[in-house]
Amino acid sequence: MWRYFTPAIAFLLLGALFAVALVRIENGTMDPRAIKSPLLGKAAPTFVLPTVTEPSRPFDSAVLKGHPYVINVWGTWCPACREEHSALLVIARRAGIPFIGIDWKDDRQQAQQYLGQLGNPYTETVADDEGRVAIDWGVYGAPETFLVGADGQVLVKFAGALTEAIWAEKFAPFVQGGG
Amino acid sequence: MIPEIGTLALLIALVLAVLQSVFGLVGAHRNDAVWMRATSSSTVAVFLFVLLAFIVLAYGFVVHDYSIEYVAHNSNNELPLIYRIAAVWGAHEGSLLLWVLILSTWALLVSRLSKGLPDVFRTRVLGTLGLVGVGFLAFTTLTSSPFTRLLPAPLDGADLNPILQDPALAAHPPMLYMGYVGTSVAFAFAVAAMLSGRMDASWSRWTRPWTVAAWMCLTLGISLGSWWAYYVLGWGGWWFWDPVENASFMPWLASTALIHSLAVTEKRGLFRNWTLLLAIFAFSLSLLGTFLVRSGVLVSVHSFAADPSRGLFVLGLLLFFIVGSLTLYAIRAPSLQSEGGFAPVSRESFLLLNNALLVAAAGLILLGTLWPLVMDSFNLGKISVGPPYFNTVFLVPTLPLVALVGVGMHSTWKRASYASKGRPLALMAIIGLVLGALVAFVCYGRYGLPLTIIGFGGGFFLMASALWQPLARLVRRQAQPRAALGMAVAHFGIGLFVIGVSGVASYKIEKDVSMGPGDTATIAGYTFRFESSKDVVGPNYLAREAQVAITRDGAPVAALTTQKRQFKIQNNPTTHAGIDVAWNRDLFVALGDELGAGKWSLRLQYKPLVRYIWLGGVFCALGGLIAILDRRYRGGIVEPVHPTDTETAAATGEG
């Protein structure tokens, strides 16, 4: 007799799962839209790209080997990048590790002008005109920020405008002495 | 004033749906002729008022009434008329209205076209459909009214999501919903059977055409969606195992199983409980899809704006209908146990295997779809389950199914003998495999994937096996029973589909290139030459259009045009691929991003046999249509076919 109740009970369990998910989304402890990066825990992609400031000088990401560093994908065409820029200046100064900007599908001169006017938080900014490197990094949109550990693994990925609070919460725990 | 008429119409429809369900369920219980007549009348009335609400909303789109928030968010002064109509179901609120309209249409059809059904039974079915209507009308009016005012009204609207501005997509949701919502009819028939505690051969015969009709719409709807994704999203893929695609595919698998299980229940009175359960499952999976798309618990390109409070409402509906019907099942099933047996090799066994494999496929897809949600909900980490999982778990149960269908089609009820059919079938299988190997090595010059030849061979075998009996009847100048012919046509369609999938999966070539005017690139022997590009102005978008000429060995093959459209208001780009279609392949060009210095990124693709994927779907649906037109579904209450009629049933191949 009771075996006929199996489907009903199985569905009740499924319903309970949905209820948990809905409640957690409602109170903000879960966000299904948060981007899952396949790169987390994997080796960071390497690249050689011309720098924005001196286009004739290429920058090879191999020189960063053995050190933790930050990759920030930005563009002058991206309003949210402008929004995070002032926070980025503060964070980069305090963190004490290299900040590498990837200027994504942008105009070289506008980018130089932008950094000249708003200040340059980056140790180096490279120009990814065709967006090839951004594809390697699995970039969905700008801005996106990655933290790479000394062992070359991607530790953190954050999509959207960075703030000091987000840095303190998500990135700082991985950066020794920084924050 | 006019939008308020829409709101009022929905409220009246809600009240009428309450009457429909009360008159239906209580009236049938009391066997009250007046109440039962009232059920039919209220069914018609619900339909009329929902239709009125729908027309009011469509009118709002046609005349650009931006005081309606939904119109303001999903339309625009420059949006062409056809897309203003399609925009009615372009977002959450309006598509829900379409859902309800289609539900009331199905109910209307059941009340008009089932004169042969006993009054009590038909009334119960309508009452159950009324209850579903109450749930979804309440959902619409309480949480998702499409008639909410936006005052002061904006001068122009925010435009329809650009990826929805396409003819195939205008037709895809209504067709898909016809199928999705149509599963509610089989569900209502199952609930009515459980309420009455009676389930005989005539019950299955009444249920079958409705189930097949819904299944047919679902098949076409899914095929249209796949075709749309192929050429609009610019990816050139035809199936992505996206949660929302899965949500439409699982009810398809369940209703396919249901169609086959119903055959056994009709002919042999077996699998009764299983048939009931499948009818509930098919509808449950449809509701589950509605929940997944509208609650925001899963992320998908298709999902509507997320709103957890709406999610809770749908979850409530889900629990009410599914747990309610499954509890009813638990109470009634023990008394509906089937009697009678069958030999290990018999049509029953084949259909049992068919059901087991289809349900296994649906279950594994459900698991993969929900697994990320389970992980996320219990803080076990974020994962995504992708095509490698789904392709594997789908192939494992369905590949044996292809072979089983080819053999099982020729089995007989109770005990099947292959004494006279074994040799021809074995011959067909061998010829199929040889043909498969020939296609692989001669046409494409290489083995392909591990399963390529099995896939081609299985497809050819299935097509031959499906054609065998109709052709034999043609030669003997015998009449073609529609049910048997329909089955053959649908199975032939599956064969076409399998061949299409095998061809694309094994031999497709995709290449991303950077090209400027005059540049050429060659794939699969076809040379693509970027001729020129220019700006084009559309009604509500600007586009960059590229001309690409294709030649083969110097001879012109096609001149294609591909566009990257930038919509003015929503500022989203969409890609319109240029596609050259031939019987054996598609050549596909999609314009990507501008790379500077006159260069553009282009995606070039060679898609062998891709059309057979959708053609297979069309054949399946056509088979369904032919089967519905079978004579025995017309007319009134017919004497049930006796289970001992095995030979006649098998000879006509019904099932």
Side-chain angles (χ1 to χ4, degrees), chain A residues 4 11 18 24 31-32 105, chain B residues 299 337 376-377 379 382 593:
Chain A
Y4 291 104
F11 186 77
F18 293 148
R24 290 200 50 202
D31 179 14
K105 293 187 187 170
Chain B
V299 185
Q337 283 283 26
D376 207 356
S377 297
N379 270 339
K382 279 185 179 294
D593 297 312

Side-chain angles (χ1 to χ4, degrees), chain B residues 399 402 428-442 444-462 498-499 501-503 505-507:
Chain B
L399 210 56
V402 171
M428 281 185 222
I430 291 166
I431 293 175
L433 283 170
V434 171
L435 214 56
L438 279 176
V439 169
F441 290 112
V442 177
Y444 297 103
R446 62 198 163 88
Y447 189 89
L449 300 173
L451 289 173
T452 302
I453 291 174
I454 305 272
F456 280 138
F460 284 126
F461 168 59
L462 190 47
V498 172
I499 286 177
V501 174
S502 308
S506 311
Y507 302 113

Side-chain angles (χ1 to χ4, degrees), chain A residues 1 3-5 7-8 11-12 14-15 17-22 24-26 30-34 36 105, chain B residues 288 291 296-297 299 303 308 311-312 315 322-323 326 330 333-334 337 370 373-374 376-377 379 382-383 593:
Chain A
M1 175 66 205
R3 72 192 172 95
Y4 291 104
F5 277 98
F11 186 77
L12 274 175
L14 202 58
L17 164 71
F18 293 148
V20 169
L22 283 175
R24 290 200 50 202
I25 293 171
E26 182 97 51
M30 174 175 139
D31 179 14
R33 278 168 197 278
K36 301 154 194 157
K105 293 187 187 170
Chain B
L288 189 73
F291 171 75
V297 295
V299 185
S303 45
L312 278 176
L315 183 59
I322 303 177
V323 176
L326 287 176
Q337 283 283 26
L370 294 182
L373 183 65
V374 174
D376 207 356
S377 297
N379 270 339
K382 279 185 179 294
I383 59 154
D593 297 312

Side-chain angles (χ1 to χ4, degrees), chain B residues 357-418:
Chain B
L357 292 172
L358 284 171
V359 170
L364 288 166
I365 292 172
L366 182 67
L367 188 68
T369 308
L370 294 182
W371 196 244
L373 183 65
V374 174
M375 299 287 283
D376 207 356
S377 297
F378 297 105
N379 270 339
L380 300 170
K382 279 185 179 294
I383 59 154
S384 58
V385 179
Y389 168 83
F390 288 111
N391 286 337
T392 314
V393 302
F394 184 65
L395 271 179
V396 169
T398 50
L399 210 56
L401 197 54
V402 171
L404 282 170
V405 172
V407 179
M409 248 188 291
H410 305 285
S411 59
T412 46
W413 296 109
K414 260 181 153 173
R415 179 188 300 280
S417 156
Y418 280 91

